[in-house]
């Protein structure tokens, strides 16, 4: 698409939906002073993160649900967006006029991190339309992604005080994505439909009544394969050195 637009004599650039080196911290919303330099006084900082969901709303693709997840009539919460910015004059699509989110608040009920408020909301006016979603706590979402504090959902809650800042979505999207998808499917409001139900059994939980014993046989197996490491060394390393980043001036808020 970019090549096509450029072949027509216009500029175009794609912006992926990634949290990179933007001047606005995507976790807490703080402005990072001296993070970037404006090219001119009347220009914005070059790496301010674009609000993808508001952009998708302006493009007429759907609406923002109570969970702050963007919902489309085709797929509900199951999509990601990429922005394409251009100086070409394009005919805009109208805003989406339908209603997908019915404020069931199942996203609130099923969020392991309790990151979505049930009653408090955020409202913005876009193109004369008031858009509202539940007040969202990104730091609580980060903890929920790690499994939260519910022992029925988090198998590692008592083992490690800290975890890596990525790749451990133990209970990620339990409310805002999965519970929402199940509800929308039951209401039969999505155009894209599965032959079989999205959820065929109860959500996964840990039965803490069962004693998961680490037997001598298991230990011998790991010793034989030289896969034994000292747990305290790992915990001290993660606490003091923050996985090798302790000496760096800037700490990733998603890890620390």
């Amino acid at each position: 698409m970019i090549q096509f637009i450029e072949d027509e004599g216009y500029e175009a650039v794609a912006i992926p939906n990634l949290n990179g080196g933007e001047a606005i911290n995507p976790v807490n919303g703080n402005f990072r002073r001296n993070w970037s330099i404006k090219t001119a006084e009347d220009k914005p900082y070059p790496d301010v993160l674009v609000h993808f969901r508001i952009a998708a709303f302006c493009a007429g693709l759907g609406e923002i649900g109570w969970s702050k997840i963007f919902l489309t009539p085709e797929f509900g919460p199951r999509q990601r967006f990429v922005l394409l910015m251009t100086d070409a004059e394009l005919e805009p699509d109208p805003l989406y006029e339908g209603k997908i989110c019915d404020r069931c608040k199942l996203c609130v009920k099923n969020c392991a991190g309790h990151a979505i408020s049930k009653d408090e909301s955020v409202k913005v006016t876009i193109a004369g339309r008031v858009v509202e979603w539940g007040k969202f706590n990104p730091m609580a979402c980060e903890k929920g992604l790690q499994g939260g504090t519910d022992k029925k959902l988090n198998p590692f809650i008592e083992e490690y005080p800290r975890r890596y800042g990525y790749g451990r979505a133990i209970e990620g999207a339990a409310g805002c994505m999965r519970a929402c998808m199940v509800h929308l499917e039951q209401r039969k409001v999505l155009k894209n439909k599965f032959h079989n139900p999205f959820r065929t059994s109860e959500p996964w939980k840990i039965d803490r009544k069962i004693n998961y014993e680490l037997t001598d046989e298991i230990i011998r197996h790991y010793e034989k394969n030289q896969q034994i490491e000292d747990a305290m060394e790992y915990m001290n390393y993660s606490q003091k050195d923050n996985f090798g980043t302790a000496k760096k001036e800037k700490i990733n808020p998603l890890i620390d």
Side-chain angles (χ1 to χ4, degrees):
M1 178 60 71
I2 290 178
Q3 291 177 337
F4 172 79
I5 294 176
E6 290 180 341
D7 287 344
E8 295 297 317
Y10 300 99
E11 294 186 15
V13 60
I15 303 178
N17 191 359
L18 301 173
N19 290 333
E22 57 275 349
I24 301 297
N25 186 319
V27 177
N28 55 31
N30 292 341
F31 175 74
R32 291 167 170 163
R33 192 191 306 274
N34 300 322
W35 187 267
S36 60
I37 300 175
K38 295 192 293 185
T39 58
E41 283 301 319
D42 60 341
K43 302 291 185 182
Y45 284 87
D47 50 7
V48 173
L49 185 66
V50 177
H51 200 304
F52 278 75
R53 278 162 275 198
I54 289 181
F57 176 83
C58 293
L61 298 178
E63 67 173 9
I64 300 176
W66 183 261
S67 65
K68 202 182 176 182
I69 293 293
F70 197 87
L71 307 175
T72 65
E74 291 81 13
F75 305 106
R78 296 177 293 116
Q79 65 266 306
R80 285 186 177 273
F81 298 105
V82 173
L83 284 175
L84 193 154
M85 303 190 74
T86 178
D87 59 353
E89 293 188 11
L90 304 175
E91 186 69 26
D93 291 331
L95 297 180
Y96 178 68
E97 296 292 343
K99 193 66 179 175
I100 305 171
C101 178
D102 64 352
R103 300 299 194 259
C104 68
K105 308 289 180 71
L106 287 173
C107 54
V108 178
K109 180 181 178 181
N110 289 274
C111 178
H114 309 290
I116 309 167
S117 173
K118 181 180 179 181
D119 303 309
E120 293 185 84
S121 68
V122 174
K123 295 181 180 180
V124 296
T125 301
I126 306 171
R129 182 91 61 85
V130 176
V131 179
E132 180 183 22
W133 58 80
K135 187 176 180 180
F136 174 69
N137 184 338
M139 298 304 291
C141 176
E142 175 69 11
K143 294 301 181 184
L145 195 66
Q146 298 175 8
T149 57
D150 190 339
K151 294 183 179 181
K152 294 180 180 179
L153 304 176
N154 189 349
F156 308 115
I157 195 167
E158 295 178 346
E159 296 186 28
Y160 300 117
R162 306 170 77 174
R163 279 169 288 279
Y164 294 97
Y166 56 89
R168 74 281 177 269
I170 301 170
E171 194 57 17
C176 59
M177 297 287 287
R178 286 181 281 163
C180 178
M181 179 59 202
V182 171
H183 182 64
L184 293 176
E185 185 181 59
Q186 291 172 345
R187 289 173 55 208
K188 300 180 180 180
V189 297
L190 300 181
K191 296 179 181 179
N192 175 259
K193 303 180 187 301
F194 293 108
H195 290 291
N196 298 309
F198 179 76
R199 175 174 287 165
T200 58
S201 60
E202 290 296 318
W204 176 84
K205 291 185 179 181
I206 300 172
D207 186 356
R208 290 288 178 180
K209 297 178 182 178
I210 300 176
N211 182 21
Y212 296 96
E213 183 179 357
L214 184 62
T215 64
D216 292 338
E217 182 181 359
I218 295 176
I219 294 177
R220 285 195 297 270
H221 168 79
Y222 280 94
E223 287 178 339
K224 180 180 178 181
N225 292 280
Q226 297 182 339
Q227 292 179 301
I228 295 291
E229 63 182 50
D230 187 84
M232 288 308 300
E233 287 185 6
Y234 172 82
M235 293 172 69
N236 290 334
Y237 173 62
S238 66
Q239 286 178 319
K240 296 179 181 179
D241 294 331
N242 195 23
F243 306 104
T245 65
K247 295 181 180 180
K248 297 181 180 180
E249 294 182 2
K250 295 180 179 179
I251 300 298
N252 187 340
L254 296 180
I255 296 177
D256 191 31

